[in-house]
Amino acid sequence: MTDNRLLMPELFGSDVFSEAVMKTKLPKATFKELMKVIHGDAELTLPVAEVVASAMKDWAVEKGATHYAHWFQPMTGITAEKHDSFISPVGDGTAIMEFSGKELIKGEPDASSFPSGGLRATFEARGYTAWDPTSYAFIKDNALYIPTAFFSYSGEALDKKTPLLRSMEAVSKQTVRILRLFGNNDVNAAIATVGAEQEYFLVDKKSYDKRKDLIFTGRTLFGAAPVKGQELEDHYFGTIKQRVGKYMEDLDRHLWALGVASKTKHNEAAPAQHECAPIFESANLAADHNQLTMEIMKKVALEHGMVCLLHEKPFQGVNGSGKHDNWSLTTDDGHNLLNPGKSPMENAQFLTFLVAIIKAVDEYADLLRVSVSTAGNDHRLGGNEAPPAIISIFLGDELTEIIDAIVENTDVQSKRSQFDIGISNLPKFPKDTTDRNRTSPFAFTGNKFEFRSVGSSLNISDPNIVLNTIVAEALDEFATELEKAEDFTSALHELLVRTIKKHKRVIFNGNGYDDAWVKEATEVRGLPCYPSAVDAIPHFCDEKNIKLFVKHKVFTEVEIKSRTEIQLENYCKIINIEALTTVEMASKEILPAVMEYEKTLCETLLAKKSAGIGYNVESNLASSISVLAEDLNNKIYELEAVIIKAHGITDIFEASRCYHDEVFATMQSLRAIADQLETMVAEKYWPFPTYEDLLFNV
Ligand code: ADP
Ligand code: MG
């Protein structure tokens, strides 16, 4: 829908039913009432919804929309939508455009085709979508999109938005309790803010179309390393190629029209890899906008003859793609609580939040790991370019020194300020951590935390649900203890010292890729280490984690169990598709190509032999290739056998283990043989585009 002639200020949000648009389109009283609803100060009533629906429809129809769609995020992770037209026949052969308050508030898509992980057996099959007035409606492809939550008849969440909203409420509530203790009576809510940096690859559509692996799995299942990789480090922040530049420009315009504040764009470390980062906003909006961003990225790429790959590891041996989830807490009056202050009082409050986060991450590192666990992200975590699978916190040297000093000077009592907790002699807090440790999974970057383990294709709701909830829990424990204290200052000091001592083990400023770190983290510090998704996901159901989510009303026990099942099922399905594609490509494309080349070699060999010319080259090459081809053929049989074995396992925990330990492992060894063959077979025989073609031809 973007109009290329629009200038930036008119373009931004031009397809969004934003607050500014509402202000002009809604009667004053309705606007006021709706704002109250958006800020959580009032319940939505049908009369208000009627007026809003009608205004929304008029605005949408004016912009060319013919349909409306309840837009939601089922547990597949991607978005779903059900379209209905505004058309309403009036009986005389004509029709009017109608949209009622009821239609705005509630939809009833068929829930049975979405994963529910056993929820459906327990509850009703019907699913409902409910308007989320905190996320603006927008226009895309001639339809009015209404962001909604998706849940079952009995109220179980069937989506990613519902628990995210619940977790935002939980962390808001506990944050306000802490702020009250610091004498702040003005703030009534806190908002979890998120800015998600999205990494991606662009490949040429013509090359893409020749690779079944890219088409079916989003990543290459075969491919020998290119002669030139990223070793020259000439791509990171390098000049953007013209074709890519045009794409980025077009992408930005599409995103801006939809109110997505895309801000930064640059090349990433790997060839053909890029990044797009928006300005942060509330976690809910950020999640909706990131889903939209991913969708638009793919769509616009096609218009430019390219394909946008969002997979975490499209190319083996080349940097993978992540999605840095920048997270912080902001008060409803706009104060970032992770901004170190200038005064000791501000610093004490900042430290309280900082230490609560340290405690939260240490106690629930397993949940953070679970929230980013997918088959795709397994290639990143633990690979040598992404954060390791072990969750630790990077604070930077200065902040770590401060933390250390607080613990060591336990008896320093301030004489200067009521709230000073022994930090008056400490150096000024670093405003910006210049040391950018790229190996840390969870890094403090000046005024926010950056969770780097998130995979590029993931729905950011999952990690943010966990972050919000675990921080809510730590703040809850702090508040409960401090509310009872007779002397707040000394109680706070004692609490912070005790908490830091207990959870310091999760702070690590060193190199996360170092093997020594794995040893130290697991053997000395006792941090959990789950190398694969299959190791991590079952811990979602650990007793302590169920207790946490139930307590903060983010998930019920049934919801957790169903989500665990869905996550494991998803893992199995992905490996299964990859394995089947591997078999298909190896047997129908690679082996025939290899045999074709062998034939040429043998024909040359025979011709040379009869001419009395030496034929050592042909003979040696044909023999080596022949041995490898036989190995490859055996591996195909082996892989087929383990696929059948995995299909036969009904228990999802057991099945996922089999997919990981046997199916995936066999795929890898099969690939190694095929990749070796690729280096020996003449280029013109190779059946699909190589890494060189894919990485350097955009
Ligand atoms: P980097 O060097 O990692 O790219 P940037 O300063 O460019 O760091 O910020 C990265 C992301 O962090 C951006 O999306 C930005 O909007 C987001 N961000 C900045 N401040 C906050 C905050 N208070 N809460 C959440 N995200 C934030
Ligand atoms: Mg970053």
Side-chain angles (χ1 to χ4, degrees):
M1 282 278 286
T2 55
D3 183 340
N4 271 328
R5 291 158 308 184
L6 286 184
L7 295 172
M8 179 58 177
E10 316 163 39
L11 176 66
F12 191 82
S14 56
D15 290 336
V16 182
F17 197 67
S18 62
E19 189 174 322
V21 174
M22 289 186 227
K23 206 167 183 172
T24 62
K25 303 280 177 192
L26 293 175
K28 231 183 183 148
T30 313
F31 176 74
K32 263 178 117 172
E33 197 53 35
L34 184 62
M35 285 302 123
K36 276 197 210 152
V37 173
I38 289 175
H39 296 128
D41 300 328
E43 291 268 324
L44 183 69
T45 63
L46 194 56
V48 169
E50 288 295 355
V51 180
V52 177
S54 169
M56 245 186 206
K57 184 249 324 173
D58 289 344
W59 169 81
V61 168
E62 222 170 82
K63 292 193 141 283
T66 53
H67 287 68
Y68 71 91
H70 273 206
W71 186 66
F72 56 104
Q73 295 168 36
M75 292 187 273
T76 49
I78 51 173
T79 56
E81 53 201 50
K82 185 189 174 216
H83 290 247
D84 284 290
S85 81
F86 291 124
I87 295 275
S88 174
V90 287
D92 63 352
T94 64
I96 52 164
M97 301 295 248
E98 256 185 355
F99 186 44
S100 71
K102 267 203 187 114
E103 288 169 314
L104 166 64
I105 294 180
K106 194 172 169 190
E108 208 176 314
D110 179 13
S112 59
S113 43
F114 297 107
S116 67
L119 272 180
R120 222 172 359 258
T122 337
F123 305 99
E124 226 204 313
R126 250 186 303 167
Y128 297 95
T129 48
W131 177 36
D132 167 18
T134 60
S135 183
Y136 303 129
F138 56 91
I139 292 181
K140 189 167 70 71
D141 305 324
N142 294 329
L144 169 69
Y145 279 73
I146 299 152
T148 59
F150 183 45
F151 52 89
S152 74
Y153 178 71
S154 38
E156 272 72 28
L158 295 174
D159 69 348
K160 308 253 175 192
K161 184 191 271 283
T162 308
L164 178 63
L165 290 171
R166 292 174 184 161
S167 72
M168 287 175 71
E169 207 169 307
V171 76
S172 170
K173 190 171 140 193
Q174 303 307 332
T175 301
V176 171
R177 279 176 74 196
I178 295 288
L179 292 177
R180 291 283 182 274
L181 286 164
F182 279 91
N184 185 331
N185 291 313
D186 304 325
V187 168
N188 291 312
I191 301 121
T193 53
V194 170
E197 303 165 61
Q198 178 74 50
E199 290 181 345
Y200 62 98
F201 279 87
L202 287 175
V203 294
D204 189 81
K205 174 79 163 60
K206 286 196 234 49
S207 304
Y208 171 93
D209 283 339
K210 292 185 192 131
R211 295 209 50 144
K212 283 191 182 140
D213 48 5
L214 285 180
I215 294 171
F216 294 137
T217 74
R219 74 177 180 101
T220 54
L221 299 170
F222 298 98
V227 178
K228 177 180 188 279
Q230 59 194 61
E231 62 273 31
L232 294 179
E233 296 182 344
D234 52 356
H235 193 258
Y236 192 53
F237 280 88
T239 14
I240 296 168
K241 281 188 198 158
Q242 207 179 19
R243 186 176 179 194
V244 174
K246 285 223 155 63
Y247 164 77
M248 288 177 168
E249 206 181 302
D250 205 11
L251 173 65
D252 273 349
R253 292 190 72 83
H254 276 81
L255 293 175
W256 291 336
L258 288 165
V260 180
S262 165
K263 172 115 172 126
T264 326
K265 49 185 181 188
H266 61 76
N267 287 349
E268 264 301 329
Q273 192 185 30
H274 314 278
E275 182 188 291
C276 157
I279 296 173
F280 70 97
E281 52 197 340
S282 94
N284 181 35
L285 281 174
D288 281 359
H289 281 162
N290 183 251
Q291 290 300 120
L292 257 184
T293 300
M294 291 194 284
E295 186 190 320
I296 303 290
M297 283 170 105
K298 287 187 182 166
K299 192 177 112 180
V300 175
L302 286 176
E303 288 165 9
H304 288 252
M306 296 185 287
V307 176
C308 171
L309 303 177
L310 291 172
H311 193 282
E312 283 74 16
K313 195 77 177 175
F315 306 99
Q316 183 173 285
V318 175
N319 260 15
S321 299
K323 181 146 56 192
H324 293 173
D325 189 83
N326 295 272
W327 182 94
S328 190
L329 278 172
T330 302
T331 59
D332 58 3
D333 57 2
H335 180 71
N336 179 357
L337 293 169
L338 289 183
N339 224 340
K342 288 187 203 81
S343 69
M345 183 185 115
E346 284 172 330
N347 279 343
Q349 186 183 296
F350 162 74
L351 272 176
T352 307
F353 284 98
L354 184 79
V355 173
I357 294 170
I358 294 170
K359 170 182 157 74
V361 172
D362 187 32
E363 284 178 347
Y364 297 100
D366 53 350
L367 276 180
L368 286 170
R369 175 70 180 89
V370 170
S371 75
V372 296
S373 290
T374 59
N377 214 15
D378 265 6
H379 297 277
R380 264 181 91 230
L381 305 181
N384 239 22
E385 91 284 342
I390 302 164
I391 304 284
S392 64
I393 299 181
F394 169 84
L395 282 186
D397 292 340
E398 284 174 283
L399 210 49
T400 306
E401 265 170 36
I402 292 169
I403 293 279
D404 286 343
I406 291 169
V407 176
E408 281 150 24
N409 300 328
T410 41
D411 52 21
V412 172
Q413 275 298 324
S414 158
K415 289 170 197 72
R416 290 207 309 207
S417 159
Q418 189 196 345
F419 286 102
D420 196 307
I421 48 161
I423 52 170
S424 53
N425 305 324
L426 295 169
K428 268 231 159 67
F429 279 27
K431 266 280 174 213
D432 190 17
T433 333
T434 41
D435 182 1
R436 295 202 156 242
N437 182 325
R438 290 269 154 202
T439 71
S440 176
F442 200 83
F444 184 70
T445 48
N447 58 3
K448 62 185 189 289
F449 273 99
E450 187 169 326
F451 185 26
R452 302 205 180 105
S453 311
V454 186
S456 50
S457 71
L458 299 192
N459 183 315
I460 56 167
S461 299
D462 291 319
N464 289 304
I465 290 166
V466 170
L467 267 172
N468 295 340
T469 313
I470 65 178
V471 173
E473 170 60 19
L475 295 175
D476 183 6
E477 284 178 40
F478 278 13
T480 304
E481 184 175 328
L482 294 172
E483 280 162 1
K484 289 188 209 123
E486 280 173 18
D487 176 1
F488 174 69
T489 310
S490 59
L492 176 65
H493 189 194
E494 195 273 323
L495 170 69
L496 293 185
V497 170
R498 174 168 26 98
T499 312
I500 294 169
K501 273 187 183 156
K502 187 163 171 205
H503 298 291
K504 218 176 151 279
R505 63 171 191 165
V506 77
I507 300 170
F508 176 62
N509 294 328
N511 180 4
Y513 300 159
D514 204 338
D515 284 339
W517 166 234
V518 180
K519 216 171 137 69
E520 184 189 326
T522 53
E523 290 171 18
V524 183
R525 302 194 187 200
L527 300 177
C529 175
Y530 304 121
S532 82
V534 170
D535 301 312
I537 297 167
H539 290 283
F540 198 2
C541 290
D542 286 357
E543 207 183 314
K544 79 176 210 319
N545 296 334
I546 293 180
K547 247 174 96 179
L548 167 85
F549 286 121
V550 171
K551 177 180 170 192
H552 293 279
K553 299 191 169 57
V554 173
F555 288 125
T556 64
E557 184 166 349
V558 181
E559 285 173 348
I560 294 175
K561 292 199 163 141
S562 71
R563 268 157 215 261
T564 307
E565 221 175 276
I566 291 171
Q567 216 177 332
L568 284 173
E569 238 170 52
N570 188 262
Y571 179 91
C572 297
K573 282 180 191 162
I574 287 171
I575 302 294
N576 186 51
I577 295 170
E578 288 186 349
L580 293 173
T581 310
T582 299
V583 168
E584 172 104 359
M585 289 173 77
S587 57
K588 293 194 182 151
E589 297 186 64
I590 298 175
L591 263 186
V594 170
M595 289 188 287
E596 193 68 23
Y597 184 52
E598 277 181 310
K599 188 177 144 207
T600 314
L601 285 174
C602 291
E603 278 168 5
T604 315
L605 184 151
L606 286 175
K608 279 184 159 182
K609 194 174 178 182
S610 60
I613 306 172
Y615 47 83
N616 273 344
V617 176
E618 289 77 9
S619 166
N620 290 341
L621 197 50
S623 306
S624 315
I625 290 177
S626 187
V627 170
L628 282 171
E630 204 174 318
D631 287 350
L632 184 66
N633 199 40
N634 290 336
K635 275 287 170 204
I636 295 172
Y637 288 132
E638 208 182 297
L639 183 54
E640 281 174 331
V642 286
I643 292 172
I644 290 168
K645 181 180 169 191
H647 283 185
I649 304 173
T650 44
D651 177 79
I652 191 70
F653 294 91
E654 218 182 294
S656 62
R657 274 252 76 93
C658 179
Y659 274 107
H660 176 270
D661 298 350
E662 299 183 53
V663 180
F664 181 72
T666 312
M667 266 168 60
Q668 287 300 91
S669 51
L670 186 154
R671 176 191 180 141
I673 302 167
D675 289 355
Q676 202 184 335
L677 278 166
E678 187 192 324
T679 63
M680 299 164 83
V681 171
E683 209 170 288
K684 67 172 186 183
Y685 290 86
W686 205 248
F688 38 73
T690 63
Y691 271 25
E692 270 103 342
D693 297 328
L694 291 165
L695 288 166
F696 298 99
N697 277 349
V698 177

